[in-house]
Amino acid sequence: KAAFINFISDEEWKSIEPVSSWFGPSSFLMSSMSALFKLSMWIRHGHGYLTENLGIPVWGSYAVFGLATLFLGMILGLVSESLGTE
């Protein structure tokens, strides 16, 4: 706590380089990382719901998410193939 107060009061913050725009909070990289984190939290909550509330075994939850991943990949592949043909 004391080090932080000294950092502010001695104005040491003026000598620090600003964060580049690539690593800024609103950059594409950080927005993508945020979206991946939100997706992982959604998957975690979904897994908890399936196993705790619905009583599905853990392997069943993995199977549900595995099949959902395969299905989503298949749909995205079909969509990209249909957009690529003329």
Side-chain angles (χ1 to χ4, degrees):
K1 180 178 171 182
F4 180 69
I5 292 173
N6 289 337
F7 178 78
I8 299 299
S9 63
D10 295 341
E11 296 183 357
E12 294 176 22
W13 52 271
K14 289 184 178 180
S15 65
I16 294 179
E17 293 286 324
V19 175
S20 73
S21 62
W22 183 248
F23 294 108
S26 61
S27 70
F28 175 75
L29 177 65
M30 291 299 144
S31 297
S32 300
M33 291 298 290
S34 173
L36 286 174
F37 180 74
K38 288 177 185 177
L39 176 64
S40 70
M41 292 306 295
W42 181 84
I43 290 171
R44 181 178 177 189
H45 289 299
H47 174 73
Y49 177 78
L50 291 174
T51 57
E52 295 169 12
N53 294 6
L54 298 181
I56 295 175
V58 173
W59 63 266
S61 174
Y62 291 157
V64 167
F65 282 109
L67 290 173
T69 302
L70 289 173
F71 182 71
L72 181 62
M74 184 178 65
I75 296 298
L76 289 174
L78 289 172
V79 168
S80 67
E81 180 64 28
S82 69
L83 294 176
T85 59
E86 294 181 18

